[in-house]
Amino acid sequence: MTDFVQTAKAPKRASPDLRRLVGSECASLSGSAVSTVALPTLAVLELHASTTQIAALAFLGQLPNAVVALPAGALSDRYPRRPQMIAADLTAAGVLATIPAAAFAGMLSIGQLYVIAVVLGAVKIVHDAAAISYLPVLVETHQLQRANSRLGAASSVADSAGSNAGAALVGAIGAARSVLADVLSYLVSALLVWRIRTPEPVVVPPESRHGLARDIGEGLRYVVGQPTIRTVIAALSTLSFGLAIMNTYWAYYLLAELRVSPTAFGVIMGLGGIGSLAGALLAPRIVSRIGVGPTITIGFAVSPPAQVPLLLAGPGLRWQIALASALAVQLFWATASGTSQRTLRQILCEPRFQGRMQAASTTVTAGVRPLAAAAAGALVLYVGVHSTLAFGAVLQVVPVVLLLASPVRAVRDMPAPPARPAVPPAREGSS
């Protein structure tokens, strides 16, 4: 019989290094939220991108998920994670800085945005693979749920603030120059990660390392052999496919067809972030009240009906309020579910497979997004934007069925972690 443990109370104050990691994630997310408003505005309103170009931009932004995730996960299990996170942040800052520079020179093009989308997608995967697998190093197992909730709450605040700041900056100084806020955010993130001092254990000693391909294969076999992890990842990937079809034209539909202004677009995203914040803050309480499995399942089940207001919407303030409200509800449950399923996977996964487990999840979850963007681009040529959005909404029912048919829905408490082998700590300066 499987042993289960209740989530213990975390200390009132997080450790300094956990606060630095949370601060780093908040800094990069707040800046990225500015770019989330600025880049679609640049593409749609300033570069006058076509629907095909919008689909290509979405496809290229997601393409690294299918190519980079597995090697990134293997590298995060093999080498210290802090240097990988710092290098990723500095690279992102560098490529984003080319946008205002090109705009100032009158040379900005959709082709440049394509290249930037690919590079940003790749460095984000490297950063996330290292950061997510680094969290269990900074906190004890019984504190993971609260640490993930704290991270999710802080990230939601940063995302919401960034979206509103992005809307204000785009209106005040223009879309291209507002990207400088994202450049600064990545530099702050790199500085905070550099200040983390917790030494990392050497999970794979140099003398025991094999080829990267062998490490990747070993990680994939491990994930396939874990029923709960495997089921959650399968549900995530199918939900991701449906959402990615919608997200390909979500910004375009609001900006071009519903005539939402860039300011209102940012406000809708910012108000949706409030729901995400509430979900992150209340996730431990929800889990303790209804259980881990039901929290995860409800998070998936809310997504399909939350798309209905978008499919019915027309121009005007009344519909903008409806869209923001639906997004807030969706993100509330998505975040509560997300922190819970991430914690569940982190606890169940052996330490030496943390990075590769997360990479496997990223590959099949985010790796389907380029395919979804391509499918959306093909669909819109035949059935139009609105019907393409509706098709993406219907697909989101599939992961709900997967979870309801699995034992995941019945999990009440976080399981006891697997035995952790003793490993020698790295030298203080090596991480």
Side-chain angles (χ1 to χ4, degrees):
M1 179 180 293
T2 305
D3 294 327
F4 291 92
V5 294
Q6 295 286 351
T7 303
K9 290 186 178 180
K12 291 184 178 180
R13 290 181 60 82
S15 69
D17 281 348
L18 177 59
R19 291 200 299 271
R20 292 182 184 113
L21 180 64
V22 171
S24 165
E25 296 299 295
C26 288
S28 61
L29 276 174
S30 61
S32 296
V34 173
S35 292
T36 300
V37 177
L39 294 184
T41 303
L42 276 173
V44 175
L45 300 183
E46 296 191 23
L47 297 178
H48 306 291
S50 66
T51 56
T52 300
Q53 289 172 322
I54 293 294
L57 187 62
F59 174 83
L60 291 171
Q62 299 297 335
L63 183 61
N65 292 305
V67 179
V68 180
L70 289 176
L75 290 173
S76 71
D77 281 341
R78 179 182 287 204
Y79 299 109
R81 286 129 180 165
R82 281 178 54 240
Q84 297 179 57
M85 296 162 66
I86 293 170
D89 286 340
L90 295 179
T91 302
V95 297
L96 282 168
T98 67
I99 291 179
F104 179 77
M107 299 174 62
L108 185 65
S109 67
I110 191 68
Q112 181 179 348
L113 294 187
Y114 288 161
V115 174
I116 290 171
V118 172
V119 176
L120 285 180
V123 297
K124 183 180 186 301
I125 291 167
V126 172
H127 177 99
D128 289 352
I132 293 175
S133 55
Y134 194 35
L135 183 62
V137 175
L138 297 181
V139 299
E140 297 294 331
T141 299
H142 69 273
Q143 297 175 331
L144 268 176
Q145 174 75 60
R146 291 185 180 277
N148 275 311
S149 296
R150 183 181 286 116
L151 183 60
S155 298
S156 297
V157 171
D159 189 53
S160 178
S163 296
N164 287 292
L169 283 171
V170 168
I173 64 175
R177 281 179 287 185
S178 66
V179 173
L180 288 171
D182 201 3
V183 174
L184 178 61
S185 75
Y186 277 112
L187 296 176
V188 171
S189 175
L191 176 63
L192 289 171
V193 174
W194 176 74
R195 293 188 61 201
I196 294 176
R197 292 294 178 262
T198 301
E200 295 185 56
V202 182
V203 179
V204 182
E207 62 274 12
S208 301
R209 290 173 186 160
H210 305 292
L212 197 62
R214 181 172 173 179
D215 284 352
I216 292 172
E218 185 182 23
L220 290 175
R221 287 190 295 272
Y222 175 81
V223 170
V224 170
Q226 303 297 312
T228 300
I229 295 176
R230 182 181 66 226
T231 300
V232 171
I233 291 177
L236 284 170
S237 65
T238 51
L239 176 66
S240 179
F241 190 86
L243 284 173
I245 285 180
M246 299 192 71
N247 289 341
T248 300
Y249 290 110
W250 190 78
Y252 175 86
Y253 189 69
L254 266 65
L255 292 168
E257 299 202 12
L258 297 184
R259 309 295 182 187
V260 174
S261 69
T263 299
F265 178 67
V267 170
I268 288 172
M269 295 177 64
L271 291 176
I274 294 175
S276 179
L277 169 62
L281 290 173
L282 295 175
R285 187 174 301 177
I286 294 171
V287 167
S288 66
R289 182 69 60 86
I290 67 175
V292 178
T295 301
I296 294 172
T297 305
I298 291 173
F300 283 81
V302 165
S303 190
Q307 313 307 327
V308 172
L310 177 66
L311 301 176
L312 299 178
L317 178 61
R318 177 170 62 95
W319 282 111
Q320 291 173 15
I321 293 173
L323 290 172
S325 301
L327 185 61
V329 172
Q330 178 189 358
L331 292 181
F332 173 90
W333 281 104
T335 306
S337 172
T339 60
S340 301
Q341 60 85 8
R342 186 180 303 115
T343 302
L344 180 64
R345 288 189 290 118
Q346 287 172 331
I347 290 175
L348 289 175
C349 184
E350 294 181 25
R352 65 193 182 97
F353 288 110
Q354 285 285 346
R356 282 169 286 179
M357 180 273 293
Q358 179 57 35
S361 176
T362 300
T363 299
V364 298
T365 300
V368 299
R369 293 173 190 163
L371 300 177
L379 279 170
V380 80
L381 296 176
Y382 295 98
V383 300
V385 173
H386 186 271
S387 295
T388 299
L389 294 173
F391 180 73
V394 172
L395 283 179
Q396 294 171 44
V397 176
V398 176
V400 182
V401 176
L402 287 176
L403 289 173
L404 289 175
S406 76
V408 173
R409 60 176 170 71
V411 176
R412 297 294 301 178
D413 302 314
M414 288 295 177
R420 296 173 179 260
V423 291
R427 290 192 299 274
E428 189 72 32
S430 65
S431 60

